[in-house]
């Protein structure tokens, strides 16, 4: 996709990526904490719902958070 890059000061090609938002269960690194996180994400569909959308310039590599609308917040 073509977007305007503030660092390059031109319209350049960008790529899109989705990164899971941190959960309150992420701080517990034990086996029980990992299982709890998996169950929580599986039941709530968090692996698809709790995502941040980033757009990255392919020229300079500047990564910009672009959550649009309530569905990604």
């Amino acid at each position: 996709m073509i977007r305007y890059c503030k660092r390059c000061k031109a319209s350049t090609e960008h790529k899109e990526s989705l990164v899971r938002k941190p959960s309150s269960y992420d701080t517990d690194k034990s086996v029980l904490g990992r299982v709890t996180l998996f169950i929580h994400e599986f039941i709530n569909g968090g692996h698809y719902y709790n995502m941040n959308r980033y757009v990255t310039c392919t020229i300079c590599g500047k990564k910009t958070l672009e959550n649009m609308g309530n569905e990604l917040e």
Side-chain angles (χ1 to χ4, degrees):
M1 86 178 87
I2 305 286
R3 297 238 176 186
Y4 182 79
C5 178
K6 292 179 182 177
R7 185 181 288 171
C8 297
K9 295 184 174 42
S11 293
T12 59
E13 185 70 27
H14 284 68
K15 63 181 180 175
E16 185 178 58
S17 61
L18 294 173
V19 178
R20 187 178 67 84
K21 290 181 182 179
S23 171
S24 61
Y25 296 106
D26 285 341
T27 56
D28 190 1
K29 301 294 182 190
S30 68
V31 175
L32 181 61
R34 295 280 107 196
V35 171
T36 306
L37 175 62
F38 174 75
I39 292 170
H40 172 70
E41 295 293 323
F42 182 75
I43 290 173
N44 294 326
H47 52 287
Y48 294 112
Y49 182 70
N50 294 327
M51 302 292 265
N52 281 325
R53 178 178 174 259
Y54 288 96
V55 178
T56 307
C57 177
T58 56
I59 305 299
C60 67
K62 182 175 192 251
K63 192 175 189 180
T64 307
L65 177 65
E66 283 196 5
N67 286 346
M68 296 181 185
N70 292 334
E71 69 273 3
L72 293 173
E73 291 179 351

